[in-house]
Amino acid sequence: MNPAKRLEIYTRLRKQNPHPRSELQYGTPFELLVSVVLSAQATDKSVNLATARLYPKANTPQAMVALGEAGLEPYIRTIGLYRTKAKNIVALSKLLIAEHGGKVPADLAALVRLPGVGRKTANVVLNVAFGQPTIAVDTHIFRVANRTAVAPGKTPEEVERKLVKFTPPEFVHDAHHWLILHGRYVCIARKPRCGECVIADLCEYRHKTKPQAH
């Protein structure tokens, strides 16, 4: 894909959604970190329902440690892998207190050392909470990047590297939001909604679906 086409893709996605936001509801970097950890293999909607009850009770590392795994589990029981996530959230809270004064570090290396935090989670936190020009690659972004040919790659790391390299600087901060929302609602896995897509004529996917007749 050539740079002019890529530029036009991002220009259209920005025009459609000038100020994209995470669909996770949070008020602080710590709340965002916990929500992103909870969102692995779960919907943002299910996470928001759980955290609406959890955060009024515990929304700091200190409060989360005080709550403990047994206290945390009932709040997040509706979310997949909740036991493992409860264990990780209490453990990462302890580490934040011990090594970072209870604050979420704005640093990739420090974030990925936290229990339950991988590169994707760290990049979401750096981008959304701290405004850093990172691009977190989840299943939606991996699919969209490959399907459109905006940044094809065999692994999430390769796609991330290419997205950061090839995305024009003015779009980098919001790129992960646009791509994730596009993958979630338009360029869906089984049958992409090519008829509703604002970048269909620029996309290099060979098996485009035809618009449905009304």
Side-chain angles (χ1 to χ4, degrees), residues 19 49 73 80 94 101 108 117 139 157 176 182-183 185 193 201:
H19 306 290
L49 285 170
E73 283 181 8
K94 287 176 179 171
L108 182 73
V117 177
T139 52
E157 288 76 16
H176 112 263
H182 193 66
Y185 298 111
R193 299 185 174 123
D201 57 315

Side-chain angles (χ1 to χ4, degrees), residues 72-108:
L72 175 55
E73 283 181 8
Y75 289 97
I76 62 171
R77 190 167 275 135
T78 51
I79 297 169
L81 310 172
Y82 74 94
R83 284 199 178 91
T84 302
K85 290 174 182 177
K87 188 178 170 185
N88 284 333
I89 288 165
V90 172
L92 72 81
S93 297
K94 287 176 179 171
L95 202 60
L96 288 176
I97 295 165
E99 296 188 6
H100 302 284
K103 295 272 192 294
V104 176
D107 174 73
L108 182 73

Side-chain angles (χ1 to χ4, degrees), residues 73-163:
E73 283 181 8
Y75 289 97
I76 62 171
R77 190 167 275 135
T78 51
I79 297 169
L81 310 172
Y82 74 94
R83 284 199 178 91
T84 302
K85 290 174 182 177
K87 188 178 170 185
N88 284 333
I89 288 165
V90 172
L92 72 81
S93 297
K94 287 176 179 171
L95 202 60
L96 288 176
I97 295 165
E99 296 188 6
H100 302 284
K103 295 272 192 294
V104 176
D107 174 73
L108 182 73
L111 283 169
V112 295
R113 285 190 58 244
L114 298 171
V117 177
R119 189 178 179 88
K120 183 188 78 176
T121 297
N123 276 329
V124 172
V125 172
L126 292 173
N127 179 279
V128 177
F130 300 112
Q132 293 188 19
T134 60
I135 300 179
V137 177
D138 72 343
T139 52
H140 295 298
I141 294 178
F142 186 77
R143 179 174 67 254
V144 171
N146 275 291
R147 199 181 258 172
T148 60
V150 140
K154 289 187 170 63
T155 64
E157 288 76 16
E158 188 185 354
V159 169
E160 181 194 331
R161 200 167 57 246
K162 286 187 177 177
L163 281 170

Side-chain angles (χ1 to χ4, degrees), residues 162-183:
K162 286 187 177 177
L163 281 170
V164 171
K165 183 179 177 182
F166 294 135
T167 301
E170 66 181 295
F171 299 110
V172 170
H173 180 259
D174 291 328
H176 112 263
H177 287 311
W178 288 320
L179 294 172
I180 200 170
L181 293 170
H182 193 66

